[in-house]
Amino acid sequence: MFSVTVRDHMMIAHSFRGEVFGPAQRLHGATFVVDVTFRGPELDVDDILVDIGLATQHVHEVVGALSYRNLDDEPAFEGVNTSTEVLARTVADRVAERVRAGDLGGAGDRVTALVVTLHESHVAWASYECDL
Amino acid sequence: MFSVTVRDHMMIAHSFRGEVFGPAQRLHGATFVVDVTFRGPELDVDDILVDIGLATQHVHEVVGALSYRNLDDEPAFEGVNTSTEVLARTVADRVAERVRAGDLGGAGDRVTALVVTLHESHVAWASYECDL
Amino acid sequence: MFSVTVRDHMMIAHSFRGEVFGPAQRLHGATFVVDVTFRGPELDVDDILVDIGLATQHVHEVVGALSYRNLDDEPAFEGVNTSTEVLARTVADRVAERVRAGDLGGAGDRVTALVVTLHESHVAWASYECDL
Amino acid sequence: MFSVTVRDHMMIAHSFRGEVFGPAQRLHGATFVVDVTFRGPELDVDDILVDIGLATQHVHEVVGALSYRNLDDEPAFEGVNTSTEVLARTVADRVAERVRAGDLGGAGDRVTALVVTLHESHVAWASYECDL
Amino acid sequence: MFSVTVRDHMMIAHSFRGEVFGPAQRLHGATFVVDVTFRGPELDVDDILVDIGLATQHVHEVVGALSYRNLDDEPAFEGVNTSTEVLARTVADRVAERVRAGDLGGAGDRVTALVVTLHESHVAWASYECDL
Amino acid sequence: MFSVTVRDHMMIAHSFRGEVFGPAQRLHGATFVVDVTFRGPELDVDDILVDIGLATQHVHEVVGALSYRNLDDEPAFEGVNTSTEVLARTVADRVAERVRAGDLGGAGDRVTALVVTLHESHVAWASYECDL
């Protein structure tokens, strides 16, 4: 099994609803360093799993669509806490859509799973993984 | 599948029995940077897998109970080498106990596996993973 | 010359005024990983420059007073952009005050300079350094 | 399940064939920071999965045999692009051979899988994992 | 004194002349993770030292002009070993030129020094610093 | 001004005398990731500041002479707390001696200062710098 990971980041504001969040119920923010991992059992005729240029570009677009925003105002997150877990799943879902749509070239046929990790600080991070 | 990781560290002295350990048979020590990963397939009503505040607190207690000690003198490790592998398992077992006891709130029902990684230097680390 | 550094972090929301900031004029946020370095030419009778326990505690208090907040609403930053540079200076000024007030014990006599670095992502950071 | 990882690095020149590689079709190079992970369900009588000294030595030999070379001239890679994925598999195959041959001592019986990760920069890396 | 750093990277091939270099006399390569630090005593009216967007863009152009190349063939390095030290100075000189030319906006007046660090692996790096 | 840094590590046991150290008065230990920086204004005829091979070897010997030991038993540290600051100075003094003795070749003439940083964990480190 092969995997290829590219890293990007986003900077967002948000707040959480629920007593469990303590002071994080206030409006605050985060830098998320985002690692997107593509997994698959075979390489293509060029001896790669994904075109890392295309992967970088599409991850950047997906992450960019969330960055420099107050996620409390984004319709996509209405009624849901934008926890690190939820955001990891959101990034994974949106990258998966592009892989399936053929935006990453032949990777659409070879990539069988994604793992997205969001680092919220040097001491905490969360991941979401899904099959394609 | 979701996962959430929190990082802490401990500083311990110990020695190893067995020729395979070479100079590490002498009394020496280590800083272990400890990553505890909680895994589970579903989020709770607050859209999180674990309360990261509770997770941080309990990992800190488990790691703190080992830190600033000479592990050669700890009854818990009598007759066993406190290798990085063994200490990763020890931390995992002790965190697992707390998860099962409900100390991390509803995470006890949602967390299905733990992975504990102990970094002993910038060039070596070991992990132990177990189902809950 | 000796130096001792402790690391902490804060998570804040803010926006910037000025066209130079582009999309960062919108309300967004950041995790700042904060490194506070104490510098001085001599050690004390205990062979240390600062009591790292006290240093960690006071840095945590200074950083905590900024964290989980929307800095746009903080009177301390009225009329100023809370750029990474400005926040590094703010943390340095507040830690310096505590060092001078004797909150870090004898370090008040030995620490001659501070350097504060705020990492806003894996690809950008800023520092402020000042003599005491 | 236990795992133990050791880190080394290699510095190589190479070029790629295929339009998908863009400017990387030109002769260029890379530092690969190499992480080799040994996995297995049980520890030996010394309470370790692998002799980390032996693991470090053999990984260093495998990595060293590729380093300070132009991989375009290496017969082992004739007709194949030395992508990060391919090199991760090469390192894994060569370490696996040594594990199976008993070069890492009893680890040959206990190690059931390998994962090799090659970091080509701070924003991209690739892995290959295989059962033994 | 303030400083702002942005990180980028380049991937190059090269060889060294001189017995001191041992196996690195052969054609090989490196990924250099490049940190460019701008230093200056004062912030501008927007409360920043440099426009981080412009800084990122110009560092990327300077680094990109070296990347995906065999430096042995570059006229700019004729008769000189492209050691990490030399390449750090080259990047610094080229960024300095742009700062002086006003390419980074008002930073040309405020930035008084540059530090460029090139990381060639996880265990070795080199820097060059110069006044403007 | 140029600088070149090489990284190594050591694993030691020790205890501290003095109430300021709290639980660290007990016998415990640490991994110190050691960064040794050589600084100087000029390069040699090979376009380098130091022979990085020689630098790596001598740093490894200096660090190795401290590693896998209980520093409480080392005559060199009698009557002194082996704080991170003290150990940084010890490593710097011992490397400086070798530079002055010509062990690092021509670097003895070109290196004008050393900086040694010891990372004791992911959240704390200390440095010592001295002129040669």
Side-chain angles (χ1 to χ4, degrees), chain C residues 81 83 85 123 125 127 129, chain E residues 1 3 5 7 46-47 49:
Chain C
N81 277 313
S83 65
E85 296 93 313
V123 291
W125 52 96
S127 297
E129 44 190 280
Chain E
M1 177 65 65
S3 71
T5 304
R7 172 168 283 189
D46 289 316
D47 306 304
L49 178 66

Side-chain angles (χ1 to χ4, degrees), chain A residues 1 3 5 7 47 49 51, chain D residues 81 83 85 123 125 127 129:
Chain A
M1 177 65 64
S3 70
T5 304
R7 172 169 283 188
D47 306 305
L49 178 66
D51 174 348
Chain D
N81 278 312
S83 65
E85 295 92 315
V123 290
W125 52 96
S127 297
E129 44 191 280

Side-chain angles (χ1 to χ4, degrees), chain B residues 121-123, chain C residues 3 5 7, chain E residues 117 119 121-126, chain F residues 3-10 31-39 55-56 58-60 62-63 84 87-93 95 113-121 124-130:
Chain B
S121 75
H122 64 305
V123 291
Chain C
S3 71
T5 304
R7 174 169 282 189
Chain E
T117 302
H119 304 260
S121 74
H122 65 303
V123 291
W125 51 96
Chain F
S3 70
V4 171
T5 304
V6 295
R7 173 168 283 187
D8 208 315
H9 76 284
M10 59 186 184
T31 305
F32 290 109
V33 174
V34 180
D35 295 336
V36 179
T37 299
F38 303 86
R39 292 171 58 80
T56 298
H58 284 283
V59 167
H60 190 65
V62 165
V63 166
T84 313
L87 292 172
R89 185 179 57 196
T90 301
V91 171
D93 286 349
V95 172
L114 291 179
V115 187
V116 172
T117 301
L118 267 63
H119 304 260
E120 68 176 63
S121 74
W125 52 95
S127 296
Y128 178 73
E129 45 190 279
C130 60

